[in-house]
Amino acid sequence: AGSEEAFRHWDEDGAVPGSCSRCHSAEGLPLYLEQGAEIEQPTANGLNCATCHSDLTTFALYESESVEFPSGASLSLVEVDEENGPKANLCLNCHQGRSYGGTVDARIGDLGDDELGESLGFINVHYFPAGGSLFGSEAEVGYQYEGKEYAGRFEHVSGFDTCIECHDAHALEVVAEDCGNCHDGVATVEDLATIRVSETDFDGDGDVTEGIAGEVATMSEALILAMAAYADGIEGVNPIVYNSHAYPYFFDDAGERYATWTPALLRAAYNYQYAQKDPGAFAHNGQYVLQTLYDSIEGVGGDVSGLTR
């Protein structure tokens, strides 16, 4: 996908900075795996064969027996699949998010839930943190509220429990026809959103036939409305507006960067963004993302009486 923003973002700069080069250059990941270094790299037309393959005659892959996540947790898919786990671990090096709940806590410090903090600012989990979702509470990619329990790694079923057993390793798309072997009516990528196993009505809309993706979407809508109501209800806190296409995503009603954060609002915004930036979270770990959304609604005083955690 060399024509996309993920690789074209730095064209005017002429190079990809070290903080981004591991995942947004052709040479960054091999350097990181071999030497643990992340330095400025040339811009590239997407990833290439040598990004993942250490030998282009045998097509051996770089070894990645475990992967360190932003939380500091060292996690691996080798334990669930000795053959495909090391290959899938390569994916985790980039698809893990760039922050975790502890990042939010560090920003908040000792502030009370509803205190305005000049040092507070939105923390972006970054795009497609699918590996973080997969490991749930083990990776802590979402903000996990104190005193709450969260789902751990989503195990799915044997044979479909690592990245490359569900996604084509080169095209990256989900191999949806394989999903149809167990999930009736699933033949295309678009059909994945209809998948459902649980009979629980998590979002309280009375529909227990929609896919879990629908439950996540409605719960997300409930959260952004609860955030808006919370902001409107506190003196000195500006109205809050979300724009998924413009950084830094949260703005006030004048279109300026949102600046009147409280800890309660910051935690909720982090989890809302997490749910948006992993559009496959319903499949990677639906229970985990629903738990983070529910707790965030509750955290800003939203009504959870019709919802199920």
Side-chain angles (χ1 to χ4, degrees):
S3 64
E4 303 303 311
E5 176 69 7
F7 291 98
R8 302 276 62 82
H9 182 80
W10 299 272
D11 284 354
E12 292 185 2
D13 302 327
V16 184
S19 59
C20 305
S21 64
R22 185 201 311 183
C23 306
H24 295 279
S25 71
E27 301 173 24
L29 181 60
L31 180 67
Y32 174 76
L33 294 173
E34 290 176 341
Q35 301 183 29
E38 296 176 274
I39 63 173
E40 184 179 277
Q41 294 285 355
T43 56
N45 185 30
L47 307 180
N48 60 37
C49 301
T51 302
C52 296
H53 294 281
S54 59
D55 188 320
L56 297 186
T57 58
T58 65
F59 293 102
L61 289 161
Y62 282 101
E63 295 292 328
S64 191
E65 289 301 315
S66 64
V67 177
E68 184 175 344
F69 281 68
S71 64
S74 182
L75 303 170
S76 175
L77 290 167
V78 176
E79 297 174 4
V80 300
D81 190 333
E82 291 184 3
E83 179 182 356
N84 294 303
K87 303 173 187 177
N89 277 353
L90 282 176
C91 310
L92 299 180
N93 281 286
C94 289
H95 291 281
Q96 56 173 247
R98 293 191 62 176
S99 53
Y100 77 112
T103 315
V104 180
D105 281 334
R107 180 73 56 87
I108 291 170
D110 297 328
L111 283 173
D113 287 350
D114 302 319
E115 286 186 67
L116 287 172
E118 293 183 1
S119 63
L120 295 183
F122 176 62
I123 297 170
N124 183 26
V125 69
H126 208 57
Y127 300 97
F128 304 123
S133 297
L134 182 67
F135 280 100
S137 61
E138 297 178 41
E140 298 181 65
V141 66
Y143 184 85
Q144 300 177 185
Y145 287 77
E146 186 176 358
K148 302 282 190 177
E149 292 186 6
Y150 292 87
R153 189 181 70 79
F154 178 53
E155 297 183 359
H156 201 209
V157 295
S158 179
F160 294 94
D161 51 9
T162 70
C163 311
I164 63 169
E165 290 175 324
C166 295
H167 292 263
D168 184 285
H170 295 109
L172 307 183
E173 288 282 3
V174 179
V175 186
E177 55 268 29
D178 287 348
C179 304
N181 293 331
C182 294
H183 298 286
D184 291 339
V186 175
T188 67
V189 171
E190 290 72 25
D191 294 334
L192 297 173
T194 68
I195 292 177
R196 183 186 188 95
V197 176
S198 174
E199 296 181 357
T200 302
D201 181 18
F202 295 101
D203 60 13
D205 66 357
D207 187 353
V208 293
T209 62
E210 66 180 344
I212 291 298
E215 302 278 0
V216 172
T218 307
M219 193 88 82
S220 295
E221 292 170 9
L223 173 55
I224 198 68
L225 290 174
M227 289 168 59
Y230 171 91
D232 289 344
I234 295 185
E235 185 177 353
V237 177
N238 291 328
I240 188 167
V241 178
Y242 180 77
N243 184 340
S244 64
H245 301 296
Y247 182 85
Y249 307 107
F250 288 97
F251 302 88
D252 61 24
D253 57 345
E256 299 295 326
R257 174 196 294 260
Y258 197 80
T260 49
W261 293 102
T262 69
L265 191 57
L266 185 62
R267 296 183 191 109
Y270 178 86
N271 277 344
Y272 181 80
Q273 175 77 336
Y274 159 54
Q276 307 313 301
K277 293 306 174 184
D278 184 5
F282 70 92
H284 299 137
N285 202 332
Q287 187 66 49
Y288 180 78
V289 70
L290 285 168
Q291 288 170 341
T292 63
L293 290 170
Y294 179 102
D295 292 343
S296 298
I297 295 169
E298 188 176 52
V300 290
D303 182 9
V304 294
S305 60
L307 308 178
T308 300
R309 188 182 187 278

